[in-house]
Amino acid sequence: MIVVSVSYPNDPATKFDEAYYLQQHIPLAKQRWSGMGLQSVQVLRGLGTPDGGPAPVRITALLAWDSTEALGRAVEAHGAEIFGDIPNFTDGKPVLQVNEPVG
């Protein structure tokens, strides 16, 4: 199993339509990639730092996959559509990372 994290930095100079992201983008990703190895999606909203500072990340989505191979097949099949939807809710750049659970 792997977990892909997709984080959107909390940059006030960029737009981010959270309603569109939650009501359109996330359901689109689930619809296209469920059955292709996507096990679950969890979305986290950044609230701040422990010392009361602003959150460095606005939103993070955690996508659990069966394997890196399943992720690759899903991205090949529907990546253009999913990634092409990003400008509909933000003009910022997401930070993507493939993670391996340990413990």
Side-chain angles (χ1 to χ4, degrees):
M1 179 177 136
I2 61 161
V3 177
V4 175
S5 55
V6 184
S7 298
Y8 294 88
N10 192 11
D11 179 356
T14 63
K15 76 165 185 139
F16 193 90
D17 184 341
E18 187 175 305
Y20 182 94
Y21 177 77
L22 294 173
Q23 296 167 13
Q24 302 293 322
H25 185 73
I26 292 297
L28 174 67
K30 287 179 179 178
Q31 180 183 36
R32 296 295 188 263
W33 288 339
S34 290
M36 296 190 77
L38 178 65
Q39 294 179 4
S40 66
V41 177
Q42 181 180 20
V43 178
L44 307 170
R45 178 186 297 121
L47 297 178
T49 62
D51 64 359
V57 173
R58 184 180 309 212
I59 290 278
T60 298
L62 302 175
L63 293 83
W65 291 88
D66 291 338
S67 65
T68 55
E69 294 79 18
L71 169 63
R73 287 190 299 272
V75 168
E76 185 175 324
H78 299 290
E81 180 183 15
I82 302 298
F83 298 128
D85 188 49
I86 292 172
N88 290 325
F89 61 88
T90 188
D91 53 3
K93 295 256 186 212
V95 177
L96 289 87
Q97 180 171 300
V98 177
N99 306 278
E100 177 182 40
V102 290

